[in-house]
């Protein structure tokens, strides 16, 4: 049951219905999927194929789920934006304003209580973070605003196939997670500290909109290279990744 919706809000459209409506407006084939992404409202791939000497354009769209209740005027604007991008000034502005309002209307997600656990069995993330900030290469982290929530992640529920994500940063909730596989005496302090540093740099770069959204862009790489442990962390990771993966898999083998 849904409550709190506007009374005159349009009925929800399925992805297929929206695709047809957009297709009619832009006069080409449009595919729509709704996504649960909280980061991207629109992802659009424009494909151009030549068929029998005629160029055929198709749009492949991933839209935030709230597009299912977009008013007709916004569907019009979306169609104009597909055809003309930012040059569709009025449509672009209205569309972005509507998206901003939809994001703002969503209930903010909160960070679960388990995510705030910093004291591991062998490594204390809070202490490592304090060391980072006062040591060479780590001073850039003084500019973090806000300082992200840092904590140990949870063990995965499925065995990893190949690699592991040793750390992650989520911008929406300003949340840095470190993989629990690193919480062992076999992993040196300085390596855990470096993984933490790497994820905090993601926070810093995202907060300042540096590197234009690139994942490991030039500013990120320059800040990372300023840390004295960069080279040995790289080498340690290369040498030990398979052992870490085995350690995670072993948890599943025991069941
Ligand atoms: Zn990274």
């Amino acid at each position: 049951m849904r409550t709190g919706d506007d009374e005159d809000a349009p009925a929800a459209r399925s992805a297929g219905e929206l695709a047809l409506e957009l297709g009619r407006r832009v006069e080409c084939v449009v595919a729509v999927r709704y996504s649960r992404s909280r980061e991207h409202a629109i992802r659009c791939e424009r494909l151009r194929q030549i068929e029998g000497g005629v160029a055929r354009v198709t749009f492949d769209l991933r839209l935030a789920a709230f597009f299912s209740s977009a008013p007709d005027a916004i569907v019009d604007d979306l169609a104009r934006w597909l055809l003309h991008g930012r040059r569709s000034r009025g449509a672009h502005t209205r569309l972005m304003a509507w998206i901003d309002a939809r994001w703002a209307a969503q209930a903010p997600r909160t960070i679960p209580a388990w995510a705030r656990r910093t004291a591991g069995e062998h490594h204390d993330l809070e202490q490592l973070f304090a060391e980072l900030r006062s040591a060479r290469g780590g001073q850039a982290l003084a500019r973090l605003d806000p300082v992200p929530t840092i904590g140990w992640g949870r063990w995965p529920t499925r065995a990893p196939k190949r690699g592991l994500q040793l750390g992650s940063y989520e911008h929406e909730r300003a949340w840095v997670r470190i993989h629990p596989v690193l919480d062992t005496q076999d992993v040196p302090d300085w390596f855990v500290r470096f993984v933490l540093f790497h994820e905090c740099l993601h926070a810093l770069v995202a907060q300042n909109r540096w590197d234009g959204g690139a994942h490991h862009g030039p500013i990120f790489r320059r800040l990372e290279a300023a840390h004295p442990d960069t080279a040995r962390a790289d080498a340690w990771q290369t040498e030990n990744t398979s052992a870490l993966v085995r350690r995670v898999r072993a948890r599943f083998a025991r069941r």
Side-chain angles (χ1 to χ4, degrees):
M1 195 172 76
R2 285 148 54 106
T3 56
D5 287 347
D6 294 340
E7 290 201 350
D8 56 353
R13 292 177 177 85
S14 70
E17 287 163 348
L18 182 55
L20 282 176
E21 288 194 33
L22 285 168
R24 269 200 297 276
R25 287 165 166 89
V26 300
E27 296 181 340
C28 52
V29 176
V30 177
V32 170
R33 279 172 296 166
Y34 291 137
S35 87
R36 296 197 305 170
S37 166
R38 309 264 305 203
E39 310 251 334
H40 303 281
I42 304 176
R43 275 192 281 187
C44 173
E45 217 178 319
R46 187 175 180 276
L47 306 163
R48 196 164 170 277
Q49 290 168 314
I50 309 288
E51 261 185 28
V54 181
R56 209 169 136 260
V57 173
T58 61
F59 292 98
D60 191 3
L61 291 174
R62 296 265 286 167
L63 300 175
F66 53 66
F67 270 94
S68 66
S69 55
D72 289 340
I74 289 297
V75 179
D76 289 340
D77 287 336
L78 177 56
R80 277 185 215 115
W81 179 83
L82 285 176
L83 291 174
H84 308 295
R86 284 167 191 272
R87 282 176 294 128
S88 58
R89 289 168 192 284
H92 176 79
T93 309
R94 285 189 300 271
L95 182 60
M96 295 307 145
W98 182 77
I99 288 170
D100 282 347
R102 299 322 300 160
W103 286 135
Q106 298 206 332
R109 291 194 297 175
T110 54
I111 294 177
W114 58 259
R116 299 178 188 276
R117 187 176 67 90
T118 51
E121 282 175 39
H122 296 276
H123 300 292
D124 185 333
L125 297 176
E126 199 174 310
Q127 188 196 327
L128 294 176
F129 184 65
E131 289 168 13
L132 262 183
R133 297 229 290 189
S134 58
R136 190 155 67 88
Q139 289 93 340
L141 301 185
R143 298 175 62 179
L144 281 169
D145 182 22
V147 172
T149 297
I150 289 166
W152 290 104
R154 288 204 286 196
W155 287 97
T157 52
R158 257 183 272 168
K161 287 209 177 82
R162 260 165 275 112
L164 287 179
Q165 196 167 358
L166 298 179
S168 66
Y169 167 67
E170 186 204 280
H171 189 56
E172 185 197 351
R173 287 180 281 185
W175 177 11
V176 167
R177 258 177 286 188
I178 304 299
H179 199 297
V181 73
L182 297 181
D183 188 20
T184 160
Q185 60 190 3
D186 302 340
V187 179
D189 268 343
W190 61 262
F191 183 75
V192 183
R193 195 167 55 220
F194 188 82
V195 173
L196 185 58
F197 175 65
H198 181 101
E199 298 309 328
C200 288
L201 279 188
H202 275 304
L204 186 66
V205 168
Q207 286 173 1
N208 291 285
R209 297 167 188 267
W210 293 331
D211 283 342
H215 191 55
H216 294 136
I219 297 178
F220 183 96
R221 287 301 185 200
R222 186 159 47 73
L223 290 168
E224 192 185 47
H227 196 284
D229 287 336
T230 306
R232 68 167 171 164
D234 244 17
W236 194 93
Q237 186 171 349
T238 305
E239 210 168 296
N240 292 279
T241 290
S242 45
L244 293 172
V245 171
R246 274 200 303 277
R247 185 166 176 239
V248 178
R249 284 208 195 117
R251 295 174 59 87
F252 295 91
R254 266 186 259 126
R255 286 177 186 178

